Structures are given as structure tokens and as C-alpha cells.
Amino acid sequence: QVQLVESGGGLVQPGGSLRLSCAASGSIFSINAMGWYRQAPGKQRELVAAITSVDSTNYADSVKGRFTISRDNAKNTVYLQMNSLKPEDTAVYYCNADIWSDYDRRGYWGQGTQVTVSP
């Protein structure tokens, strides 16, 4: 019943910015940590950024100083502001959330959104 819907991906030039959004809906009792992962061709899925229910954050070293994760608990939404984008940021970005729903507490995944950084 829980769904995560992502938006905001697209094509951007190096040095540009993009903002990803991920909204959770359904039978949600509470949302714990939320995060963004990405997967480039031939590489493993990696954690980009995460934010806890008390707004503490973690970032991959490769995006520190460029990306900012935030959340709006009233809207069950997590955001990823991406600045100074580089070609190596090109990947499919997936939203993830640790959610208590009904009697099941587990992680849920968004459908993925393509981010392409290219001149």
C-alpha cells in the first residue's frame, strides 16, 4: 500500500543544479530514516545522502558540499538539492524510506529517476 513517487530528474549541464523530490503515500504510521541512493551502469547502488527522523544527515564523500538532503514531515516528502553537478553524478537515483505501515516495518523504494549530467 505504501508508495514512493519520485520527480525532478532530467538532463542538466555540468555545473548546473537539479532538485529531486520523493513523496510517500499510503498506510503510513510513521517514517523513520529517508535517503537517496544512486546506481550508475556497471556499478553497485550506493548511498548518496540520508536523513533521520530528527534531521541528522549523512552524505557520501563524493557529494559533500554539493548536495543537500531535507525532509518535510507534514508532506511525507524528502528532497535532494544537487548543485555543481558533474558528469560522474549521472545515474538512476532512488528514494528510500524506512516506514512503519500497518504491522510491517521495512524499507520502501521509489521507482527511480534518471539524472544525466552532460554538455
Side-chain angles (χ1 to χ4, degrees):
Q1 287 181 265
V2 174
Q3 293 183 326
L4 303 182
V5 179
E6 303 178 24
S7 62
L11 175 65
V12 66
Q13 294 182 340
S17 297
L18 216 54
R19 193 190 196 208
L20 305 183
S21 298
C22 175
S25 63
S27 300
I28 300 171
F29 293 153
S30 65
I31 301 179
N32 301 304
M34 306 183 79
W36 290 93
Y37 292 73
R38 67 186 181 187
Q39 188 165 24
K43 298 181 65 177
Q44 291 185 316
R45 186 173 299 185
E46 64 173 346
L47 177 67
V48 177
I51 184 167
T52 71
S53 60
V54 293
D55 292 334
S56 65
T57 58
N58 285 321
Y59 297 93
D61 289 340
S62 60
V63 307
K64 285 182 179 177
R66 299 188 298 120
F67 291 10
T68 302
I69 188 170
S70 61
R71 64 190 289 172
D72 186 337
N73 292 329
K75 297 180 179 179
N76 290 330
T77 300
V78 63
Y79 305 93
L80 185 67
Q81 178 67 46
M82 303 184 293
N83 298 326
S84 302
L85 283 161
K86 304 174 181 179
E88 48 264 46
D89 295 319
T90 297
V92 178
Y93 284 70
Y94 297 91
C95 175
N96 177 267
D98 178 19
I99 297 175
W100 183 275
S101 178
D102 295 334
Y103 303 102
D104 182 25
R105 184 180 182 178
R106 68 176 182 89
Y108 292 83
W109 291 96
Q111 80 280 7
T113 184
Q114 178 70 47
V115 172
T116 301
V117 185
S118 175

